Amino acid sequence: MRVEDLPTDPIVAAWVAIVRAGNGLIAAVAADGKAAGFPPLEWYDVLWELERRSPKRGLRPYELEHGLLIAQYNVSRLVDRMCRAGYIERRPCESDARGQVLVITDKGRALRKKMWPVYFASIQRHIGSHLSADDARALCALLVRVVACRDQEERRPDEQKRR
């Protein structure tokens, strides 16, 4: 991708660049994990979210979905596969007898720890080698600002409907 190949409108060009960069980088990092013999990148994403946000209590499935980095169109099937593999488990939800929480197992923690060095090296190779620390901080700040604005808009559905 070259800047001159992007649309002339700077906002549309930014959109195209973000989408192409995101898709390409996710594919590259996922391929590196696969080449190392690991499960799909989505598995790492689930394991990290469970370990990071609630290692002992677990997360409700909708809480897990909300925190994932990778788009998941069928989290329930992914969770089923990961439960069968022994990396996460379902437990009854204490506050809702009909609900369940998902908890990372020791086996899941061990897998995530083995996967991280491969993913970290891949992230460094595909992103870190092309950006200075200052560039990375600036890019991160811009993207966080965009995401924060989008999150605010999602919290105001009635206001959106009136537009």
Side-chain angles (χ1 to χ4, degrees):
M1 176 173 61
R2 299 175 322 163
V3 172
E4 52 270 13
D5 295 333
L6 293 170
T8 56
D9 181 282
I11 302 301
V12 176
W15 162 252
V16 170
I18 289 168
V19 172
R20 285 185 184 161
N23 289 342
L25 291 168
I26 288 169
V29 172
D32 289 346
K34 185 176 181 179
F38 289 121
L41 183 57
E42 294 83 0
W43 288 43
Y44 182 89
D45 195 14
V46 168
L47 295 172
W48 172 240
E49 191 64 15
L50 289 172
E51 188 170 351
R52 178 181 76 85
R53 290 198 36 221
S54 193
K56 301 223 185 318
R57 180 187 67 82
L59 294 175
R60 300 287 298 265
Y62 72 88
E63 293 173 313
L64 174 65
E65 270 185 66
H66 181 71
L68 294 177
L69 296 175
I70 307 294
Q72 284 300 315
Y73 300 103
N74 200 339
V75 173
S76 61
R77 286 187 184 163
L78 175 63
V79 166
D80 288 344
R81 289 191 302 274
M82 294 180 76
C83 283
R84 281 193 301 273
Y87 297 123
I88 61 176
E89 61 184 28
R90 288 184 177 90
R91 293 184 184 164
C93 178
E94 293 177 9
S95 63
D96 178 359
R98 298 169 296 161
Q100 62 182 357
V101 293
L102 305 171
V103 180
I104 188 170
T105 63
D106 290 340
K107 183 178 177 182
R109 266 188 208 82
L111 176 64
R112 192 204 63 74
K113 286 178 183 167
K114 283 176 32 181
M115 293 171 83
W116 176 242
V118 171
Y119 287 127
F120 180 78
S122 183
I123 291 165
Q124 290 301 317
R125 185 173 48 147
H126 296 294
I127 300 171
S129 65
H130 305 288
L131 298 174
S132 69
D134 287 341
D135 288 343
R137 279 189 282 278
L139 178 59
C140 183
L142 289 169
L143 293 172
V144 165
R145 189 170 80 202
V146 170
V147 170
C149 291
R150 182 192 52 88
D151 288 348
Q152 280 183 332
E153 289 171 1
E154 284 182 0
R155 288 189 207 112
R156 295 181 290 198
D158 292 333
E159 186 177 316
Q160 291 290 326
K161 289 177 189 174
R162 287 182 264 171
R163 289 185 187 174

